[in-house]
């Protein structure tokens, strides 16, 4: 809503939202907080974001760039023989990936390796979310980093991940014991 600025909105069905208003004599049902109430810059950011969305085809652009990236990633999966070992999921403008080991079991170690290789190439991507600022060159540069990371991923499948992984594998956020 505010393109990264701290702002939120409470929305719902009219008949429910009306209960939080002042145009009735029933008890008000919502408790709202204004944690950032005095910070007007977020309101300005939200207004400008709304303006940009009205003036430009932001959503169309996000889908177009996401489709371009998705196509490049799928090409990399094929060229690096990673079908069944690396899976792309989600909508083009918000892609997530799943990583699998030699036995095609979900693998945090291979996820860590893939992200390690992306970072070494200047890309930080726990997922692939495109933004309105991502140019064609940005997509191409990201796709190249992914291709190179996939090349190492393939080698790790063939030769053993131990030769390639630096440090310990990442752990899932939701786990029984931290």
């Amino acid at each position: 809503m505010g393109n990264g600025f701290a702002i939120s909105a409470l929305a719902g069905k009219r008949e429910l939202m009306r209960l939080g208003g002042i145009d009735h004599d029933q008890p008000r049902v919502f408790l709202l907080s204004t944690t950032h109430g005095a910070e007007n810059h977020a309101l300005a950011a939200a207004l400008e974001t709304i303006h940009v969305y009205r003036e430009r085809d932001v959503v169309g652009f996000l889908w177009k760039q996401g489709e371009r990236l998705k196509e490049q990633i799928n090409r990399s999966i094929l060229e690096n023989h990673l079908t069944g070992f690396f899976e792309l999921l989600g909508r083009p403008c918000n892609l997530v990936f799943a990583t699998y080991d030699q036995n095609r079991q979900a693998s945090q170690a291979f996820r860590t390796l893939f992200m390690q290789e992306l970072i070494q190439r200047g890309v930080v991507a726990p997922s692939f979310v495109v933004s309105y600022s991502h140019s064609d060159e940005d997509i191409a540069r990201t796709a190249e980093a992914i291709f190179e990371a996939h090349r190492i991923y393939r080698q790790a499948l063939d030769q053993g991940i131990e030769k390639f992984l630096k440090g310990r594998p990442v752990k899932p956020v939701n786990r029984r014991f931290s």
Side-chain angles (χ1 to χ4, degrees):
M1 251 177 34
N3 199 31
F5 283 83
I7 188 166
S8 64
L10 179 63
K13 292 183 176 182
R14 182 180 309 265
E15 61 269 16
L16 295 176
M17 296 302 294
R18 186 176 172 277
L19 296 176
I22 59 172
D23 65 341
H24 58 81
D25 49 350
Q26 298 174 347
R28 290 176 54 188
V29 296
F30 299 117
L31 174 62
L32 299 178
S33 169
T34 58
T35 302
H36 303 286
E39 298 180 17
N40 293 333
H41 63 285
L43 295 174
L47 289 172
E48 184 59 23
T49 300
I50 291 167
H51 173 75
V52 169
Y53 269 75
R54 284 184 174 153
E55 297 295 318
R56 302 177 191 163
D57 184 18
V58 174
V59 174
F61 180 83
L62 297 177
W63 280 80
K64 182 185 82 160
Q65 294 299 75
E67 285 289 354
R68 179 176 280 133
L69 183 59
K70 180 180 177 181
E71 178 183 306
Q72 294 296 317
I73 295 170
N74 282 331
R75 181 179 300 148
S76 179
I77 291 168
L78 289 173
E79 289 180 14
N80 285 292
H81 308 286
L82 292 175
T83 303
F85 300 104
F86 189 95
E87 185 178 15
L88 203 52
L89 308 160
R91 294 189 166 104
C93 56
N94 188 11
L95 296 165
V96 295
F97 57 87
T99 53
Y100 303 96
D101 64 15
Q102 298 90 333
N103 299 317
R104 298 180 194 251
Q105 298 297 309
S107 173
Q108 286 298 112
F110 275 91
R111 179 176 183 78
T112 306
L113 174 68
F114 180 68
M115 290 192 302
Q116 166 193 293
E117 295 302 315
L118 287 179
I119 290 168
Q120 287 183 349
R121 289 158 180 82
V123 175
V124 176
S127 61
F128 300 112
V129 181
V130 296
S131 82
Y132 194 67
S133 68
H134 288 134
S135 67
D136 291 346
E137 294 78 24
D138 294 326
I139 299 298
R141 190 169 52 249
T142 301
E144 180 61 31
I146 292 167
F147 183 86
E148 291 300 318
H150 276 164
R151 191 174 57 74
I152 301 299
Y153 193 115
R154 178 73 256 172
Q155 291 175 11
L157 285 169
D158 295 339
Q159 300 172 32
I161 195 167
E162 304 78 22
K163 289 181 66 175
F164 300 92
L165 185 60
K166 300 170 186 163
R168 295 178 303 191
V170 295
K171 293 182 180 179
V173 173
N174 298 319
R175 57 187 184 271
R176 187 171 175 183
F177 301 105
S178 295

